[in-house]
Amino acid sequence: MQILEVSGLKKTYAGRLGCHPVTALKNVNFSVEEGEYIAIMGESGSGKTTLLNILAALDHPTGGRVILDGKDLSEIKESAMAAFRRDNLGFVFQEFNLLDTFTLEDNIYLPLVLAGQLYRDMYQRLIPIAARLGITDILKKYPYEVSGGQKQRAAVARAMITKPKLILADEPTGALDSKASDELLRLFAEVNELGQTILMVTHSVKAASTANRVLFIRDGEVFHQIYRGADTVEAFYQKISDTLILLATGGKQA
């Protein structure tokens, strides 16, 4: 079942002090099936961050449509947008975005608290998630008391606990060492195997090679896409690397 449809997406920012307008997205089109794990790649300035912000309903497109689970984001009233975002989207950020004055447990509960959930219901949701992510024994600790990898696991738990239609991850391995990155990517693969749809923006070929499909953005458009299919992670890594070279040298897709 199709969970996300992006069609004719455009975004232009007004120029300042007489400068020409800046076009971040020109004509982006793609769809995401329920249960897919997709990586989005491209050079700095290609439009990846703008695209992610629009998909997260944190920015508005100049043209085109984003339809999530049958709902056109442009038709959702601003007063209802925060609740829609909370109920349908999970977020994993590069810098974790955890509150240092809250325990990891309370950080994870935060979106449910904002939704008015009862503690016993939140706790019942958290138990299996914490066990799967291996953070049960550190839930009472504060972010400054745990490692970067443990912080990111807590951030993944916070993204999962609302049972979102889509998890959006922005450079989730960017602040992690290689061991913690490997652990997080393994967790993403496990979460995806459970049926969770994931859309990840990354510069890391290693991270992208764990996804099932990679979209390449160049100059505000989808330049190319490749599927892993039956490829090993190593073979898919090489395909991604070859496509990035094509992007960097201005080549055309095959």
Side-chain angles (χ1 to χ4, degrees), residues 236-250:
F236 198 40
Y237 183 105
Q238 189 59 53
K239 283 185 178 180
I240 294 168
S241 298
D242 291 344
T243 305
L244 288 174
I245 291 173
L246 199 64
L247 270 171
T249 57

Side-chain angles (χ1 to χ4, degrees), residues 172-188:
T173 63
L176 303 178
D177 60 31
S178 59
K179 181 180 178 180
S181 294
D182 290 345
E183 290 178 354
L184 179 65
L185 294 172
R186 178 180 58 79
L187 288 170
F188 265 26

Side-chain angles (χ1 to χ4, degrees), residues 207-224:
S209 65
T210 64
N212 304 121
R213 176 162 53 124
V214 181
L215 295 174
F216 298 90
I217 305 293
R218 184 172 76 177
D219 298 330
E221 297 182 276
V222 176
F223 166 75
H224 192 39

